[in-house]
Amino acid sequence: MLFKEVIGHKELKASLIQSIIDGRISHAQLFLGSEGSGNLALALAYIQYIYCENKGKQDACGVCPSCRKIQQLSHPDLHFSFPVIKSGKEGETADEFIAEFRKAIIEDPYINLLNWYEYLGNQNKQGIISVKESNHIIKKLSLKSFEGGFKCYLIWMPENLNSAAANKLLKTIEEPPDKTIIILVANDSEQIIPTILSRTQLVKLARLSNVEIAEGLIEAFETEKQLAENLAAMSEGNYFQARNLALNAGENNENFVFFRDWMRLCFKKNIKGVSNWVDDISKIGRAQQKDFLKFALHLLRQCALSNYNVEGLITIKGDERVFMQNFAPYINHLNFEDYITLFSEAQSHIDRNANAKILFTDLSYQLLVLLKAASDQLKK
Ligand SMILES: [Zn+2]
């Protein structure tokens, strides 16, 4: 990964580069940034720059043997640790999944945890970094470097270290063997034990600005400028999310169809239909359900906006626009917050592994009530 391939973070990149040029490479660092901030991408660019044999002033060369190996995530002195899903005796250490990990990360260094689990074929379980894995890390770091330079361990999502595994690592993080760099890449510092936090140097990624995200989308997908800006605005600093929305913004917007059908069924109080709809949405998997809820929140906000000014519906065209114009009157200043709360809570329940059928059934009934009240109000 080159620095120029990482979206935004201009100043942070410059200061990381300067620290390497000055030889100030801290032995334990925490690249902390929210989901979609690009913290993994930035950590990989940082590592590649360290190893590059022909560094420029602003980036690694991208073509030397070290760069190539880092780009393939196959440099013998670069090791990875990440949450895995245990199934029976198998699947306890990252090494068993390294091929999948390489593939997933090369394909998308902005990948989030849910999509990684989906990659592993099991998004309904929570991954862990186990004690066995901690022992692996310690053992690998005690070995000599293959190529005579630094040894580097990148631990992705250390939030998933269980406490025994985290405690095992403390001493190594505090005093790693010579010429060793440990890089933790995390989204949420509150889920990391304080004793680990206090032993790492913080590299904090600011939230990506809408402009940075829009530029990233235009560069990657040639997204039309206005659409890119709108997607950026709704993605709240999460490039992973923005990109999914961009990929989904075409004519066959599955999320829109799901939303439209759902609202119609709730509106008609079609209980059988709602139950079938819940069956369908339960099958698409957690990552997509989360995307869907995010999309639904966006539509609700657009509806609220359009009640003040129809031109607010700029990101919505064609069929969607007709539906939204009909639907918007049911979103008003009295119930808007209720909708937002319902959908936001549903999002966090999905994060916490809630049963999708129960969650969407419950949500449907609450929507039914909200829509009924809104409809009564309109009749007055
Ligand atoms: Zn190079």
Side-chain angles (χ1 to χ4, degrees):
M1 193 89 192
L2 295 169
F3 279 116
K4 70 172 181 208
E5 294 169 318
V6 181
I7 289 155
H9 308 300
K10 206 171 156 206
E11 285 168 20
L12 182 56
K13 285 177 189 170
S15 92
L16 288 171
I17 289 168
Q18 196 55 48
S19 70
I20 295 171
I21 292 173
D22 296 346
R24 291 180 284 113
I25 300 176
S26 174
H27 62 256
Q29 307 182 37
L30 172 65
F31 279 64
L32 183 67
S34 55
E35 184 184 301
S37 63
N39 52 354
L40 178 59
L42 189 65
L44 290 170
Y46 175 77
I47 292 167
Q48 184 166 335
Y49 192 77
I50 292 176
Y51 282 94
C52 177
E53 296 156 38
N54 195 15
K55 301 182 208 334
K57 276 188 184 150
Q58 290 178 6
D59 219 326
C61 75
V63 292
C64 72
S66 293
C67 274
R68 288 217 191 112
K69 285 180 225 165
I70 301 282
Q71 275 158 192
Q72 296 305 312
L73 307 184
S74 62
H75 194 292
D77 289 321
L78 173 59
H79 307 282
F80 295 97
S81 195
F82 42 83
V84 298
I85 289 162
K86 198 177 164 183
S87 56
K89 267 188 171 177
E90 302 294 307
E92 222 180 318
T93 63
D95 276 354
E96 294 169 67
F97 299 94
I98 190 67
E100 287 89 343
F101 186 76
R102 282 190 186 123
K103 194 156 175 275
I105 302 304
I106 290 169
E107 209 172 281
D108 181 11
Y110 284 81
I111 191 170
N112 69 7
L113 202 54
L114 267 179
N115 280 74
W116 164 237
Y117 294 153
E118 198 169 43
Y119 220 94
L120 289 178
N122 195 341
Q123 49 176 315
N124 293 319
K125 275 192 172 174
Q126 212 69 4
I128 53 153
I129 301 179
S130 65
V131 175
K132 194 171 168 192
E133 175 72 10
S134 283
N135 288 331
H136 257 246
I137 295 174
I138 294 165
K139 191 172 162 213
K140 274 198 201 161
L141 284 177
S142 71
L143 301 172
K144 267 212 159 112
S145 105
F146 281 93
E147 302 203 343
F150 279 107
K151 276 174 296 180
C152 182
Y153 227 114
L154 189 155
I155 304 175
W156 184 53
M157 301 302 290
E159 291 96 325
N160 293 270
L161 279 159
N162 66 31
S163 58
N167 282 320
K168 265 227 133 84
L169 280 182
L170 279 181
K171 195 168 169 294
T172 310
I173 290 177
E174 188 165 42
E175 283 176 43
D178 254 6
K179 290 188 96 175
T180 297
I181 312 165
I182 298 172
I183 292 186
L184 308 178
V185 177
N187 292 347
D188 181 3
S189 59
E190 282 181 16
Q191 288 182 50
I192 303 175
I193 60 170
T195 38
I196 284 202
L197 282 183
S198 64
R199 285 163 170 83
T200 55
Q201 180 178 311
L202 182 63
V203 177
K204 176 105 173 72
L205 283 85
R207 187 185 135 146
L208 284 171
S209 72
N210 292 352
V211 173
E212 288 168 327
I213 290 190
E215 281 172 358
L217 292 177
I218 292 167
E219 170 92 25
F221 305 106
E222 295 174 359
T223 309
E224 181 212 330
K225 188 161 182 276
Q226 180 70 66
L227 179 61
E229 283 169 5
N230 286 317
L231 295 175
M234 87 173 90
S235 68
E236 294 164 3
N238 182 338
Y239 180 66
F240 179 79
Q241 183 74 43
R243 211 192 37 193
N244 280 355
L245 290 168
L247 292 171
N248 227 328
E251 282 175 11
N252 304 315
N253 187 340
E254 234 183 47
N255 282 333
F256 171 71
V257 174
F258 261 126
F259 185 81
R260 183 197 60 200
D261 293 353
W262 193 22
M263 291 307 123
R264 284 180 176 161
L265 292 165
C266 288
F267 194 75
K268 291 180 191 155
K269 302 190 203 71
N270 180 342
I271 303 300
K272 179 84 181 90
V274 166
S275 151
N276 290 338
W277 182 91
V278 168
D279 281 345
D280 289 342
I281 193 111
S282 302
K283 284 181 199 138
I284 65 174
R286 281 206 295 156
Q288 255 177 288
Q289 286 159 4
K290 231 181 122 181
D291 269 1
F292 168 69
L293 289 172
K294 186 110 184 171
F295 178 79
L297 271 166
H298 164 66
L299 284 189
L300 291 168
R301 292 202 174 97
Q302 291 279 303
C303 279
L305 273 180
S306 75
N307 285 331
Y308 297 104
N309 170 13
V310 175
E311 295 316 306
L313 288 168
I314 36 186
T315 66
I316 297 174
K317 294 182 183 129
D319 281 359
E320 297 190 24
R321 195 181 172 97
V322 175
F323 167 79
M324 296 305 283
Q325 277 168 349
N326 293 328
F327 179 64
Y330 296 92
I331 312 290
N332 56 49
H333 68 283
L334 293 172
N335 62 24
F336 178 64
E337 283 304 321
D338 295 333
Y339 283 106
I340 299 299
T341 310
L342 275 183
F343 280 82
S344 309
E345 281 175 358
Q347 272 185 329
S348 61
H349 286 142
I350 286 189
D351 273 338
R352 293 201 298 271
N353 243 343
N355 176 305
K357 267 197 184 171
I358 297 173
L359 184 141
F360 281 104
T361 304
D362 185 47
L363 192 53
S364 302
Y365 283 108
Q366 306 212 46
L367 281 172
L368 235 108
V369 174
L370 278 178
L371 287 169
K372 169 85 171 59
S375 148
D376 290 348
Q377 209 143 36
L378 283 175
K379 283 181 197 148
K380 272 184 199 164

